[in-house]
Amino acid sequence: MKILLVDDNANVRDTLAQALENEGYEVELGDNGLAGFNAAKQHNYDFIITDYKMPIIDGVKLIENLTLDLAYPKSKILLLTTDVSNKAKFIFDKLQISWLAKPVEIPQILQNLPDIQTSQIA
């Protein structure tokens, strides 16, 4: 399974990528929403994990662009956020975005990912 991981924090991005790769996932990285959107236009991903607060394009706008411009299903996107305000929760619920509050543990993320098919593991 090929995952696009978009986060502007290099430490978070690298730590999550390494943990996902250790679980057998192929991970590509983006450091902001625009880079993530451009990657999604060029490659097919089975799942996208994105941070919320990022420069250039935030995670919510990235999700809107992915779903509207690329017809990417929201069921294959997970938003990670430190903003758990009522306003943010309202936005996530209104847009039907799956999200987890940071800090997150890998088991929480794995619960949101589709199962890896045995044939996909090298």
Side-chain angles (χ1 to χ4, degrees):
M1 173 179 286
K2 192 173 186 178
I3 296 175
L4 174 62
L5 174 61
V6 184
D7 198 308
D8 61 320
N9 183 312
N11 289 333
V12 170
R13 193 173 57 240
D14 294 343
T15 300
L16 286 177
Q18 185 62 54
L20 290 167
E21 287 170 352
N22 289 345
E23 294 291 330
Y25 294 96
E26 179 183 345
V27 181
E28 291 191 13
L29 304 174
D31 61 0
N32 63 62
L34 181 59
F37 184 68
N38 287 334
K41 287 193 303 188
Q42 296 174 11
H43 304 284
N44 186 26
Y45 296 99
D46 299 304
F47 202 83
I48 297 175
I49 300 171
T50 183
D51 185 29
Y52 178 23
K53 301 286 185 169
M54 295 184 292
I56 305 174
I57 295 177
D58 71 26
V60 169
K61 187 63 177 172
L62 171 60
I63 293 170
E64 288 176 339
N65 290 343
L66 291 168
T67 57
L68 295 175
D69 296 346
L70 303 180
Y72 205 90
K74 286 183 185 175
S75 62
K76 294 185 176 188
I77 304 171
L78 178 63
L79 180 81
L80 306 180
T81 183
T82 56
D83 186 352
V84 292
S85 66
N86 287 336
K87 180 180 177 182
K89 290 178 185 178
F90 176 80
I91 292 168
F92 305 154
D93 289 343
K94 181 179 176 186
L95 298 175
Q96 299 176 333
I97 297 171
S98 296
W99 63 278
L100 292 174
K102 286 182 174 181
V104 295
E105 300 292 328
I106 287 300
Q108 290 176 286
I109 293 173
L110 294 176
Q111 289 176 349
N112 286 274
L113 298 177
D115 292 332
I116 297 178
Q117 300 299 317
T118 305
S119 61
Q120 292 177 328
I121 299 175

